[in-house]
Short mmCIF file of all heavy atoms in Angstrom, two decimals:
data_model
loop_
_atom_site.label_atom_id
_atom_site.label_comp_id
_atom_site.label_asym_id
_atom_site.label_seq_id
_atom_site.Cartn_x
_atom_site.Cartn_y
_atom_site.Cartn_z
N SER A 172 35.83 35.93 75.32
CA SER A 172 36.13 34.72 74.57
C SER A 172 37.63 34.61 74.35
O SER A 172 38.38 35.58 74.59
CB SER A 172 35.42 34.75 73.20
OG SER A 172 35.98 35.79 72.41
N PHE A 173 38.04 33.45 73.89
CA PHE A 173 39.47 33.27 73.54
C PHE A 173 39.89 34.24 72.44
O PHE A 173 41.00 34.77 72.45
CB PHE A 173 39.71 31.82 73.11
CG PHE A 173 41.16 31.44 73.04
CD1 PHE A 173 41.83 30.95 74.16
CD2 PHE A 173 41.87 31.57 71.86
CE1 PHE A 173 43.18 30.60 74.10
CE2 PHE A 173 43.22 31.21 71.79
CZ PHE A 173 43.87 30.72 72.92
N ASP A 174 38.99 34.49 71.50
CA ASP A 174 39.31 35.44 70.43
C ASP A 174 39.55 36.84 70.97
O ASP A 174 40.38 37.60 70.43
CB ASP A 174 38.20 35.46 69.38
CG ASP A 174 38.25 34.26 68.44
OD1 ASP A 174 39.34 33.63 68.35
OD2 ASP A 174 37.22 33.94 67.81
N ASP A 175 38.81 37.21 72.00
CA ASP A 175 39.06 38.52 72.64
C ASP A 175 40.48 38.58 73.17
O ASP A 175 41.16 39.61 73.05
CB ASP A 175 38.08 38.74 73.79
CG ASP A 175 36.75 39.27 73.32
OD1 ASP A 175 36.59 39.51 72.12
OD2 ASP A 175 35.85 39.43 74.17
N PHE A 176 40.92 37.50 73.81
CA PHE A 176 42.29 37.44 74.29
C PHE A 176 43.29 37.50 73.13
O PHE A 176 44.26 38.26 73.17
CB PHE A 176 42.50 36.15 75.10
CG PHE A 176 43.91 35.69 75.21
CD1 PHE A 176 44.87 36.46 75.85
CD2 PHE A 176 44.29 34.46 74.66
CE1 PHE A 176 46.19 36.02 75.95
CE2 PHE A 176 45.59 34.02 74.74
CZ PHE A 176 46.57 34.79 75.39
N LEU A 177 43.04 36.72 72.07
CA LEU A 177 43.95 36.73 70.92
C LEU A 177 44.08 38.13 70.32
O LEU A 177 45.15 38.49 69.82
CB LEU A 177 43.44 35.77 69.85
CG LEU A 177 43.61 34.26 70.11
CD1 LEU A 177 43.07 33.47 68.92
CD2 LEU A 177 45.06 33.91 70.37
N ALA A 178 43.02 38.89 70.36
CA ALA A 178 43.05 40.23 69.77
C ALA A 178 44.07 41.14 70.45
O ALA A 178 44.48 42.16 69.86
CB ALA A 178 41.66 40.87 69.84
N GLN A 179 44.46 40.79 71.67
CA GLN A 179 45.44 41.61 72.38
C GLN A 179 46.87 41.24 72.03
O GLN A 179 47.82 41.92 72.44
CB GLN A 179 45.25 41.45 73.90
CG GLN A 179 43.88 41.88 74.38
CD GLN A 179 43.59 43.33 74.04
OE1 GLN A 179 44.37 44.23 74.37
NE2 GLN A 179 42.48 43.55 73.34
N LEU A 180 47.07 40.15 71.27
CA LEU A 180 48.41 39.71 70.91
C LEU A 180 48.87 40.37 69.62
O LEU A 180 48.06 40.85 68.81
CB LEU A 180 48.43 38.19 70.75
CG LEU A 180 47.96 37.34 71.93
CD1 LEU A 180 48.16 35.87 71.62
CD2 LEU A 180 48.70 37.72 73.21
N SER A 181 50.15 40.35 69.42
CA SER A 181 50.68 40.84 68.14
C SER A 181 50.18 39.94 67.03
O SER A 181 49.82 38.77 67.26
CB SER A 181 52.21 40.83 68.16
OG SER A 181 52.70 39.49 68.22
N SER A 182 50.16 40.45 65.82
CA SER A 182 49.60 39.71 64.69
C SER A 182 50.31 38.36 64.50
O SER A 182 49.64 37.33 64.29
CB SER A 182 49.72 40.54 63.41
OG SER A 182 49.31 39.80 62.28
N ARG A 183 51.61 38.34 64.59
CA ARG A 183 52.36 37.10 64.37
C ARG A 183 52.04 36.08 65.45
O ARG A 183 51.82 34.90 65.16
CB ARG A 183 53.86 37.39 64.36
CG ARG A 183 54.70 36.15 64.09
CD ARG A 183 56.17 36.52 63.91
NE ARG A 183 56.72 37.10 65.14
CZ ARG A 183 57.19 36.37 66.16
NH1 ARG A 183 57.13 35.05 66.12
NH2 ARG A 183 57.68 36.97 67.23
N LYS A 184 51.99 36.51 66.71
CA LYS A 184 51.69 35.59 67.80
C LYS A 184 50.26 35.07 67.71
O LYS A 184 49.97 33.91 68.01
CB LYS A 184 51.91 36.27 69.14
CG LYS A 184 53.37 36.54 69.46
CD LYS A 184 54.16 35.23 69.58
CE LYS A 184 55.60 35.49 69.96
NZ LYS A 184 56.38 34.21 70.01
N ARG A 185 49.36 35.94 67.27
CA ARG A 185 47.96 35.54 67.13
C ARG A 185 47.85 34.41 66.10
O ARG A 185 47.16 33.40 66.33
CB ARG A 185 47.14 36.75 66.70
CG ARG A 185 45.65 36.55 66.75
CD ARG A 185 44.91 37.87 66.80
NE ARG A 185 45.25 38.77 65.71
CZ ARG A 185 45.85 39.96 65.83
NH1 ARG A 185 46.20 40.40 67.03
NH2 ARG A 185 46.11 40.71 64.78
N LYS A 186 48.54 34.55 64.98
CA LYS A 186 48.53 33.51 63.96
C LYS A 186 49.17 32.23 64.48
O LYS A 186 48.69 31.12 64.20
CB LYS A 186 49.27 34.00 62.72
CG LYS A 186 48.56 35.12 61.97
CD LYS A 186 49.38 35.62 60.81
CE LYS A 186 48.70 36.77 60.09
NZ LYS A 186 49.55 37.32 58.99
N ASP A 187 50.27 32.36 65.21
CA ASP A 187 50.95 31.18 65.76
C ASP A 187 50.03 30.38 66.67
O ASP A 187 49.97 29.13 66.58
CB ASP A 187 52.20 31.59 66.53
CG ASP A 187 53.32 32.10 65.63
OD1 ASP A 187 53.26 31.86 64.42
OD2 ASP A 187 54.27 32.72 66.17
N LEU A 188 49.32 31.08 67.55
CA LEU A 188 48.45 30.37 68.50
C LEU A 188 47.29 29.69 67.79
O LEU A 188 46.91 28.56 68.13
CB LEU A 188 47.93 31.33 69.57
CG LEU A 188 48.77 31.36 70.87
CD1 LEU A 188 50.17 31.87 70.61
CD2 LEU A 188 48.10 32.24 71.92
N ARG A 189 46.72 30.35 66.78
CA ARG A 189 45.63 29.74 66.03
C ARG A 189 46.11 28.47 65.30
O ARG A 189 45.40 27.46 65.27
CB ARG A 189 45.05 30.74 65.04
CG ARG A 189 44.16 31.78 65.72
CD ARG A 189 43.54 32.72 64.72
NE ARG A 189 42.53 33.57 65.33
CZ ARG A 189 42.38 34.86 65.08
NH1 ARG A 189 43.20 35.45 64.20
NH2 ARG A 189 41.45 35.57 65.68
N LYS A 190 47.32 28.52 64.76
CA LYS A 190 47.87 27.35 64.08
C LYS A 190 48.11 26.21 65.07
O LYS A 190 47.85 25.04 64.77
CB LYS A 190 49.17 27.71 63.38
CG LYS A 190 49.00 28.56 62.13
CD LYS A 190 50.35 28.90 61.51
CE LYS A 190 50.18 29.76 60.26
NZ LYS A 190 51.49 30.13 59.66
N GLU A 191 48.61 26.56 66.26
CA GLU A 191 48.87 25.53 67.26
C GLU A 191 47.58 24.86 67.70
O GLU A 191 47.53 23.63 67.82
CB GLU A 191 49.57 26.16 68.47
CG GLU A 191 51.02 26.52 68.22
CD GLU A 191 51.73 27.03 69.47
OE1 GLU A 191 51.09 27.08 70.54
OE2 GLU A 191 52.92 27.35 69.38
N ARG A 192 46.54 25.65 67.92
CA ARG A 192 45.28 25.06 68.35
C ARG A 192 44.68 24.17 67.25
O ARG A 192 44.17 23.07 67.55
CB ARG A 192 44.27 26.16 68.71
CG ARG A 192 44.65 26.99 69.91
CD ARG A 192 43.43 27.59 70.60
NE ARG A 192 42.74 26.60 71.42
CZ ARG A 192 41.70 26.87 72.20
NH1 ARG A 192 41.24 28.11 72.27
NH2 ARG A 192 41.13 25.93 72.92
N ALA A 193 44.76 24.61 66.01
CA ALA A 193 44.21 23.82 64.92
C ALA A 193 44.95 22.49 64.79
O ALA A 193 44.35 21.43 64.60
CB ALA A 193 44.29 24.61 63.61
N ALA A 194 46.28 22.53 64.91
CA ALA A 194 47.07 21.32 64.79
C ALA A 194 46.81 20.37 65.94
O ALA A 194 46.69 19.15 65.76
CB ALA A 194 48.57 21.67 64.73
N ALA A 195 46.68 20.92 67.14
CA ALA A 195 46.45 20.08 68.33
C ALA A 195 45.08 19.42 68.28
O ALA A 195 44.91 18.27 68.70
CB ALA A 195 46.57 20.93 69.59
N GLN A 196 44.08 20.12 67.77
CA GLN A 196 42.72 19.61 67.77
C GLN A 196 42.41 18.68 66.60
O GLN A 196 41.41 17.96 66.62
CB GLN A 196 41.74 20.80 67.75
CG GLN A 196 41.76 21.64 69.01
CD GLN A 196 40.89 22.87 68.92
OE1 GLN A 196 40.13 23.04 67.96
NE2 GLN A 196 40.98 23.75 69.90
N GLN A 197 43.30 18.66 65.60
CA GLN A 197 43.04 17.84 64.42
C GLN A 197 43.03 16.35 64.80
O GLN A 197 43.98 15.82 65.38
CB GLN A 197 44.11 18.08 63.36
CG GLN A 197 43.84 17.36 62.05
CD GLN A 197 44.85 17.72 60.98
OE1 GLN A 197 45.88 18.32 61.26
NE2 GLN A 197 44.56 17.37 59.74
N GLY A 198 41.93 15.67 64.50
CA GLY A 198 41.84 14.23 64.72
C GLY A 198 41.56 13.83 66.16
O GLY A 198 41.58 12.63 66.47
N VAL A 199 41.29 14.77 67.04
CA VAL A 199 41.00 14.42 68.43
C VAL A 199 39.73 15.13 68.89
O VAL A 199 39.32 16.14 68.32
CB VAL A 199 42.16 14.81 69.39
CG1 VAL A 199 43.47 14.14 68.96
CG2 VAL A 199 42.33 16.30 69.50
N THR A 200 39.12 14.56 69.92
CA THR A 200 37.98 15.18 70.59
C THR A 200 38.43 15.57 71.99
O THR A 200 39.03 14.76 72.70
CB THR A 200 36.80 14.21 70.69
OG1 THR A 200 36.40 13.83 69.37
CG2 THR A 200 35.63 14.85 71.41
N ILE A 201 38.18 16.80 72.37
CA ILE A 201 38.60 17.30 73.68
C ILE A 201 37.36 17.57 74.51
O ILE A 201 36.41 18.22 74.06
CB ILE A 201 39.46 18.58 73.54
CG1 ILE A 201 40.74 18.25 72.77
CG2 ILE A 201 39.78 19.15 74.91
CD1 ILE A 201 41.59 19.45 72.42
N ARG A 202 37.37 17.05 75.74
CA ARG A 202 36.25 17.24 76.65
C ARG A 202 36.74 17.82 77.97
O ARG A 202 37.81 17.44 78.47
CB ARG A 202 35.55 15.91 76.92
CG ARG A 202 34.85 15.29 75.72
CD ARG A 202 34.14 14.01 76.13
NE ARG A 202 33.12 14.26 77.16
CZ ARG A 202 32.59 13.32 77.94
NH1 ARG A 202 33.01 12.06 77.82
NH2 ARG A 202 31.67 13.62 78.82
N GLN A 203 35.97 18.75 78.50
CA GLN A 203 36.20 19.29 79.85
C GLN A 203 35.21 18.64 80.80
O GLN A 203 33.99 18.80 80.63
CB GLN A 203 36.06 20.81 79.85
CG GLN A 203 37.11 21.54 79.02
CD GLN A 203 37.05 23.05 79.22
OE1 GLN A 203 36.27 23.57 80.00
NE2 GLN A 203 37.90 23.77 78.49
N LEU A 204 35.74 17.93 81.79
CA LEU A 204 34.89 17.15 82.70
C LEU A 204 34.96 17.70 84.11
O LEU A 204 36.05 18.08 84.59
CB LEU A 204 35.36 15.68 82.71
CG LEU A 204 35.45 14.99 81.35
CD1 LEU A 204 36.13 13.64 81.49
CD2 LEU A 204 34.06 14.83 80.75
N ARG A 205 33.79 17.73 84.77
CA ARG A 205 33.73 18.18 86.16
C ARG A 205 32.79 17.29 86.95
O ARG A 205 31.85 16.72 86.41
CB ARG A 205 33.23 19.64 86.25
CG ARG A 205 34.21 20.69 85.79
CD ARG A 205 33.64 22.08 86.01
NE ARG A 205 33.41 22.39 87.42
CZ ARG A 205 32.84 23.52 87.86
NH1 ARG A 205 32.46 24.43 86.99
NH2 ARG A 205 32.69 23.73 89.14
N GLY A 206 33.03 17.22 88.26
CA GLY A 206 32.12 16.57 89.18
C GLY A 206 31.79 15.14 88.77
O GLY A 206 32.67 14.32 88.51
N ALA A 207 30.50 14.83 88.68
CA ALA A 207 30.04 13.48 88.39
C ALA A 207 30.39 13.04 86.97
O ALA A 207 30.33 11.84 86.66
CB ALA A 207 28.53 13.38 88.61
N GLU A 208 30.76 13.98 86.11
CA GLU A 208 31.18 13.60 84.76
C GLU A 208 32.49 12.82 84.77
O GLU A 208 32.78 12.07 83.83
CB GLU A 208 31.35 14.85 83.89
CG GLU A 208 30.09 15.65 83.65
CD GLU A 208 30.36 16.93 82.89
OE1 GLU A 208 31.38 17.58 83.18
OE2 GLU A 208 29.54 17.28 82.01
N ILE A 209 33.29 13.00 85.81
CA ILE A 209 34.58 12.32 85.91
C ILE A 209 34.33 10.94 86.53
O ILE A 209 33.96 10.83 87.70
CB ILE A 209 35.57 13.12 86.77
CG1 ILE A 209 35.71 14.56 86.25
CG2 ILE A 209 36.94 12.42 86.77
CD1 ILE A 209 36.56 15.44 87.14
N ARG A 210 34.52 9.92 85.75
CA ARG A 210 34.26 8.55 86.19
C ARG A 210 35.57 7.79 86.41
O ARG A 210 36.65 8.29 86.07
CB ARG A 210 33.38 7.83 85.17
CG ARG A 210 32.02 8.51 84.97
CD ARG A 210 31.10 7.63 84.13
NE ARG A 210 31.67 7.35 82.82
CZ ARG A 210 31.52 8.10 81.73
NH1 ARG A 210 30.79 9.20 81.80
NH2 ARG A 210 32.06 7.74 80.59
N GLY A 211 35.44 6.59 86.94
CA GLY A 211 36.60 5.78 87.25
C GLY A 211 37.50 5.54 86.05
O GLY A 211 38.74 5.55 86.18
#
């Protein structure tokens, strides 16, 4: 998981990345699309 990866980072960097993800995701919906899911 992503958390497994974060566990390998230094404590400060781990906190920084979690803050960045939370800020980026606030107020938006993110979707990963493949194949027929990708429309015109």
